[in-house]
Amino acid sequence: MQNFPRQIQDISAWLSQIGADPTGGMTRLLYTPEWCAAQRALQEKFESAGLKTHFDHVGNLSARLEGSHYPEQTIMSGSHIDTVVNGGNLDGQFGIEAAFLAINYLKETYGQPLRTLEVLSMAEEEGSRFPFVFWGSKNIFGLANNADMHQVQDAKGVGFVDAMHQAGFDFRPENTPVRQDLRAFVELHIEQGKVLETEGKTVGVVTSIVGQRRYDIRLTGESNHAGTTPMGYRRDTVHAFSRICYESIEKARKEGDPLVLTFGKVEPKPNTVNVVPGFTHFTMDCRHTDQQALLRFTQEIEADMKRICGEMGIEVEINLWMDEAPIPMDPQLVKQVAAVCETQKMNYRLMHSGAGHDSQIFAPRVPTVMLFVPSIAGISHNPAEKTELSDLAEGVRALAHVLYQLAYQENGGAV
């Protein structure tokens, strides 16, 4: 394990060349040449280490170390290979690198496991090229609706189906059976927040992933001359938005952690200096670890919007387009990982994830747990994304110990 820092440095430098942006950061979008090159390079890397590789229909890459006693029981670890546009080189990618390094270490140190170990490099999670998220993990469980994808295009007008076929992949046949061999899924990821760094912790054991409700909201008033329309006669949608934003944020601050509320995109029209804006489109993102609290709060905000717009003579259209419930991690696995951290004297804490991850697709179907390592200044989805090498190595060390218990011990290391 003392070689983990150097190995992490080497594999990250190697893989980060694929999709490197000349301005810094990386761009590796689903089914692009950069994405294809990364998956094929990983396939060669895995095979050179003696793992058996396989691409599924949509491009998820698996690399397996077969178990000696229970080969039909699979312990899986990995993450997604795609990135956001001009993102960092840790989000997703590190989870794949870590799984490979941990499994390769276990193979070289202890030989063949009792249960099969599998590295997974998932095709897509981010939704950065096409407006669809978790394409990789959803296809593992047959959750994606193929019919929905035929009209999907990227920003350049390239069809999803055309891009998939050009990359050499196709839809998962509807009658493909769902895998029954998965005994556990463990995902190691950077935190993408400041909690671990602020508290001086090196490992986070994730207990749950927050629920999310995302909205598109459209306000329609009346565009008019900025000089000749008295203030009392206006139906100003930016004014309405400002009231909605202020009241909602204040209510969220009073609600307190772990609730978070974000107005991330605002588009007034006609968006010019001398016209009262008669139309405003904005987005709202609300997250919480408790489903009932999330529902209650967002329903209150929706009612507030309607009240404010009613008072101002503004029409409001509220479109809830994402409604994801909070997802708990497997309690037994959480307990087991925490016990590993205690035994190995790791500086850890239990915490929730404020971001979405592939683990939220796995968790309702397979015993699942996540581990976090700190993100410097909480920066992610950005070329400045960084984690101290010593923290990355500690995360791989924790992962290796967990995978050892799950795959090499007769009882799976149950505590």
Side-chain angles (χ1 to χ4, degrees), residues 235-247:
R235 295 167 61 209
D236 183 341
T237 57
V238 166
H239 183 198
F241 166 74
S242 69
R243 286 187 58 188
I244 290 168
C245 182
Y246 176 78
E247 290 191 21

Side-chain angles (χ1 to χ4, degrees), residues 219-286:
L219 307 180
T220 303
E222 183 177 68
S223 297
N224 221 323
H225 197 290
T228 63
T229 310
M231 299 302 289
Y233 295 170
R234 298 185 177 203
R235 295 167 61 209
D236 183 341
T237 57
V238 166
H239 183 198
F241 166 74
S242 69
R243 286 187 58 188
I244 290 168
C245 182
Y246 176 78
E247 290 191 21
S248 300
I249 293 294
E250 285 301 299
K251 183 170 285 191
R253 290 170 66 88
K254 290 178 182 177
E255 185 81 13
D257 295 336
L259 181 132
V260 291
L261 180 69
T262 305
F263 294 92
K265 177 181 180 181
V266 185
E267 296 179 325
K269 292 182 181 179
N271 198 22
T272 188
V273 67
N274 60 349
V275 179
V276 176
F279 177 85
T280 297
H281 165 229
F282 64 95
T283 63
M284 187 177 78
D285 178 310
C286 190

Side-chain angles (χ1 to χ4, degrees), residues 59-378:
N60 292 312
L61 172 63
S62 296
R64 290 167 63 84
L65 177 63
E66 293 293 326
S68 59
H69 286 51
Y70 313 106
E72 75 287 352
Q73 297 180 13
T74 300
I75 309 300
M76 177 183 280
S77 183
S79 195
H80 58 95
I81 193 63
D82 68 314
T83 71
V84 299
V85 175
N86 198 29
N89 67 349
L90 292 173
D91 180 9
Q93 175 174 304
F94 172 62
I96 301 166
E97 297 165 348
F100 170 66
L101 293 177
I103 290 174
N104 197 49
Y105 164 80
L106 293 173
K107 178 173 72 73
E108 292 179 350
T109 306
Y110 302 105
Q112 189 177 15
L114 298 178
R115 298 176 184 84
T116 297
L117 281 166
E118 182 172 326
V119 183
L120 181 65
S121 176
M122 276 174 279
E124 189 273 344
E125 184 250 24
E126 298 285 4
S128 297
R129 183 180 183 187
F130 300 100
F132 189 96
V133 295
F134 302 120
W135 176 248
S137 53
K138 284 183 176 179
N139 269 280
I140 291 172
F141 299 102
L143 302 175
N145 186 348
N146 295 343
D148 292 341
M149 309 308 295
H150 286 280
Q151 304 304 318
V152 172
Q153 296 181 338
D154 67 11
K156 296 180 179 179
V158 177
F160 182 93
V161 177
D162 292 336
M164 179 172 60
H165 288 167
Q166 188 171 3
F169 299 99
D170 206 342
F171 287 119
R172 178 183 186 274
E174 301 288 352
N175 60 352
T176 304
V178 174
R179 291 181 62 169
Q180 301 296 321
D181 62 311
L182 299 179
R183 181 183 174 108
F185 178 67
V186 186
E187 183 176 10
L188 177 58
H189 207 282
I190 58 170
E191 181 194 346
Q192 302 177 284
K194 296 182 181 181
V195 174
L196 291 175
E197 182 186 51
T198 301
E199 297 188 4
K201 303 295 185 181
T202 55
V203 176
V205 181
V206 177
T207 57
S208 65
I209 298 175
V210 295
Q212 302 183 43
R213 304 194 96 200
R214 295 186 186 179
Y215 294 82
D216 274 319
I217 299 147
R218 289 170 169 78
L219 307 180
T220 303
E222 183 177 68
S223 297
N224 221 323
H225 197 290
T228 63
T229 310
M231 299 302 289
Y233 295 170
R234 298 185 177 203
R235 295 167 61 209
D236 183 341
T237 57
V238 166
H239 183 198
F241 166 74
S242 69
R243 286 187 58 188
I244 290 168
C245 182
Y246 176 78
E247 290 191 21
S248 300
I249 293 294
E250 285 301 299
K251 183 170 285 191
R253 290 170 66 88
K254 290 178 182 177
E255 185 81 13
D257 295 336
L259 181 132
V260 291
L261 180 69
T262 305
F263 294 92
K265 177 181 180 181
V266 185
E267 296 179 325
K269 292 182 181 179
N271 198 22
T272 188
V273 67
N274 60 349
V275 179
V276 176
F279 177 85
T280 297
H281 165 229
F282 64 95
T283 63
M284 187 177 78
D285 178 310
C286 190
R287 309 186 187 200
H288 202 294
T289 56
D290 182 87
Q291 176 71 350
Q292 293 306 312
L294 179 62
L295 289 173
R296 173 188 53 77
F297 183 84
T298 52
Q299 287 168 357
E300 288 179 9
I301 296 299
E302 290 179 36
D304 290 343
M305 289 183 196
K306 293 173 183 176
R307 171 183 53 79
I308 291 168
C309 290
E311 293 170 358
M312 300 181 66
I314 302 292
E315 296 177 13
V316 57
E317 177 187 344
I318 302 172
N319 175 31
L320 174 65
W321 63 271
M322 176 188 282
D323 189 5
E324 299 285 348
I327 302 294
M329 298 294 98
D330 182 78
Q332 174 61 32
L333 280 179
V334 169
K335 183 178 179 182
Q336 188 168 339
V337 174
V340 164
C341 292
E342 291 280 356
T343 302
Q344 298 302 318
K345 296 180 169 43
M346 293 179 172
N347 187 12
Y348 81 101
R349 64 158 286 170
L350 299 176
M351 62 188 300
H352 72 268
S353 171
H357 296 285
D358 286 302
S359 285
Q360 72 191 66
I361 305 300
F362 278 80
R365 299 159 183 90
V366 176
T368 298
V369 69
M370 289 194 75
L371 294 91
F372 281 165
V373 290
S375 295
I376 294 176

